[in-house]
């Protein structure tokens, strides 16, 4: 079963590659995606809207056929794509006829570009770098 956190990260990763969210035949791509060390207010508003049960079954990531509501059910999981390692929705049981959302991105996978990322807390990252430097110095 995919957790809310996994589905949220799934959307954020694909948004970074320009995939839109289709909501009742309306396309949405929150911008900006990050604000400081967190997701942006635009992304959080989008997530709050699509994760509610009344709307989630009418929301799809562009290039997919599985709704966000279905992903939040216990019949689906998020796993890395065998081709591009990006997150893809797979049924827990059975065989998936679903293609990875990367199937219609002609320039993906591109190993020369950085992969999508999660929000970064710079203070925590800098503390971790300092800790490693001190540990390696001894």
């Amino acid at each position: 079963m995919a957790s809310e956190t996994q589905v949220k990260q799934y959307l954020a990763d694909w948004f970074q590659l320009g995939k839109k969210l289709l909501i009742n035949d309306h396309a949405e791509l929150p911008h900006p995606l990050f604000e400081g060390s967190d997701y942006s207010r635009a992304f959080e508003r989008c997530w709050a809207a699509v994760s509610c049960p009344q709307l989630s079954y009418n929301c799809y990531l562009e290039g997919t056929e599985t709704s966000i509501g279905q992903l939040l059910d216990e019949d689906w999981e998020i796993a890395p794509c065998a081709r591009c390692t990006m997150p893809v929705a797979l049924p827990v049981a059975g065989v998936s006829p679903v293609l990875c959302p990367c199937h219609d991105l002609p320039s993906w996978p591109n190993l020369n570009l950085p992969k999508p990322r999660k929000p970064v807390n710079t203070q925590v990252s800098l503390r971790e770098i300092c800790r490693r430097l001190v540990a390696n110095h001894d």
Side-chain angles (χ1 to χ4, degrees):
M1 175 177 140
S3 70
E4 280 195 24
T5 303
Q6 288 174 310
V7 176
K8 188 175 183 180
Q9 184 63 48
Y10 163 84
L11 289 176
D13 285 354
W14 286 108
F15 287 164
Q16 290 176 66
L17 294 182
K19 288 285 187 174
K20 295 179 177 79
L21 188 65
L22 305 176
I23 307 170
N24 293 326
D25 299 323
H26 166 51
E28 184 171 331
L29 181 61
H31 185 75
L33 194 58
F34 302 109
E35 287 176 349
S37 62
D38 295 314
Y39 289 116
S40 69
R41 287 180 292 236
F43 177 78
E44 292 293 351
R45 276 193 305 271
C46 176
W47 173 250
V50 302
S51 62
C52 76
Q54 296 85 352
L55 187 59
S56 65
Y57 289 92
N58 294 317
C59 301
Y60 299 83
L61 182 67
E62 183 179 39
T64 69
E65 296 176 0
T66 310
S67 73
I68 302 306
Q70 288 173 298
L71 295 181
L72 293 169
D73 287 343
E74 55 190 52
D75 297 333
W76 292 85
E77 65 183 359
I78 305 294
C81 170
R83 177 176 174 243
C84 71
T85 70
M86 287 287 290
V88 64
L90 298 172
V92 172
V95 178
S96 175
V98 179
L99 295 171
C100 175
C102 74
H103 77 278
D104 62 356
L105 295 174
S107 63
W108 194 260
N110 184 340
L111 301 177
N112 295 322
L113 293 175
K115 291 183 180 180
R117 64 179 182 86
K118 296 178 182 173
V120 176
N121 184 325
T122 53
Q123 291 301 314
V124 171
S125 297
L126 288 173
R127 274 189 237 123
E128 180 60 23
I129 291 169
C130 289
R131 187 196 62 74
R132 287 194 323 245
L133 286 171
V134 168
N136 288 335
H137 184 1
D138 295 336

